[in-house]
Amino acid sequence: MPTIVFASPKGGAGKSTSAVVLATELARRGAEVVVIDADPNRPVSQWAGRPGRPETLTVLAETTEASIIDDIEAAAARVPFVIVDLEGTASMTVAYAISRADLVIVPTQGSQLDAAEAAKAIRLIRQQERAFGRRIPYAVLLTRTSAAIRPRTLQHIREEMERNNVPVLNTQMHEREAFRAIFSFGGVLQSLNANQVSGLDAAMKNAQALAVEVVDLLKGAARERTEVTA
Ligand SMILES: Nc1ncnc2c1ncn2[C@@H]1O[C@H](COP(=O)(O)OP(=O)(O)O)[C@@H](O)[C@H]1O
Ligand SMILES: [Mg+2]
């Protein structure tokens, strides 16, 4: 079943945070989710080591360049959602994971320098499409944006991406304390204490919007595939 890969050569772009937020939201809705923690620093495994991981979510940490394709295929045969969190460099592991993706999400903060890093990830996706002779759907996810203000630079980056036919998710990952807090305390947004973490409600709505949009995109991509083969 669908494999969602979080990729961007930029460290700190929001890959691991967004991957865990999406994974926990899907798991909370009852879906079985496997997260493949393909970053040697193992950020997702550290989160999973804290209390409160949903029972329907498992993390696979023992993946390597040699095993990642088999690991993705084995997980995808078993559960409805496989999410891969990658390290922030270009490596064979990153290329292999992208080659097996049903959707690559490229998290990007809203500056021109960050957008240039996103463009590198997109070039790699397009290379993998040619190497493997298949279309690999992808979308940019703007991260750490302000929920209150819409800076001109962000608007400019969005428009530039649209001009270049780079799909950008409507949902942004806003800068929220709650998205950091799940890595400190473990568990899901719903298990955080609203008295201790500000903006929790808004963070939950943000996570829901992300999950809904990603599931819709995957359905659209699956429909396209059936139409092509039919
Ligand atoms: N939406 C967000 N709101 C608040 N903090 C965030 C958000 N996304 C990422 N961060 C913070 O930014 C830093 C980098 O995020 P991370 O997800 O580890 O990026 P990456 O996996 O791309 O290296 C971390 O300190 C994380 O807590
Ligand atoms: Mg990371």
Side-chain angles (χ1 to χ4, degrees), residues 102-120:
D102 295 288
L103 175 65
V104 182
I105 296 181
V106 182
T108 311
Q109 291 186 41
S111 84
Q112 205 62 49
L113 294 173
D114 290 279
E117 292 293 316
K120 277 190 207 161

Side-chain angles (χ1 to χ4, degrees), residues 154-229:
L154 193 63
Q155 190 56 30
H156 175 77
I157 287 168
R158 234 196 147 102
E159 283 165 8
E160 201 169 71
M161 284 179 174
E162 275 160 16
R163 247 197 322 278
N164 290 306
N165 296 319
V166 170
V168 183
L169 293 180
N170 291 322
T171 312
Q172 302 177 4
M173 282 288 285
H174 289 138
E175 173 80 25
R176 293 275 177 208
E177 166 65 16
F179 296 144
R180 278 192 293 270
I182 49 171
F183 283 85
S184 304
F185 300 111
V188 299
L189 295 169
Q190 283 70 17
S191 56
L192 294 172
N193 183 339
N195 295 325
Q196 286 168 356
V197 182
S198 62
L200 188 52
D201 231 29
M204 288 193 246
K205 288 206 177 80
N206 197 165
Q208 284 162 18
L210 178 66
V212 167
E213 189 173 3
V214 166
V215 168
D216 275 353
L217 262 184
L218 289 168
K219 280 185 188 154
R223 250 196 318 275
E224 249 178 52
R225 270 199 306 279
T226 352
E227 278 160 17
V228 170
T229 34

Side-chain angles (χ1 to χ4, degrees), residues 6-21 39 43 85-88 107 109 142-145 172-181 183 206:
F6 283 80
S8 142
K10 178 122 198 297
K15 291 179 288 297
S16 304
T17 304
S18 311
V20 167
V21 167
D39 180 343
D85 182 38
L86 292 167
E87 61 186 317
Q109 291 186 41
L142 293 167
T143 60
R144 306 194 70 176
T145 54
Q172 302 177 4
M173 282 288 285
H174 289 138
E175 173 80 25
R176 293 275 177 208
E177 166 65 16
F179 296 144
R180 278 192 293 270
F183 283 85
N206 197 165

Side-chain angles (χ1 to χ4, degrees), residues 23 26-27 29-34 55-58 75 78-82:
L26 293 170
R29 290 160 177 246
E32 262 206 82
V33 182
V34 170
E55 273 176 19
T56 48
L57 190 160
T58 39
R78 206 162 56 73
V79 300
F81 293 103
V82 180

Side-chain angles (χ1 to χ4, degrees), residues 38-62:
D39 180 343
N41 294 319
R42 304 280 178 250
V44 181
S45 309
Q46 281 168 29
W47 164 80
R50 297 184 196 279
R53 172 179 54 83
E55 273 176 19
T56 48
L57 190 160
T58 39
V59 175
L60 181 80
E62 302 303 316

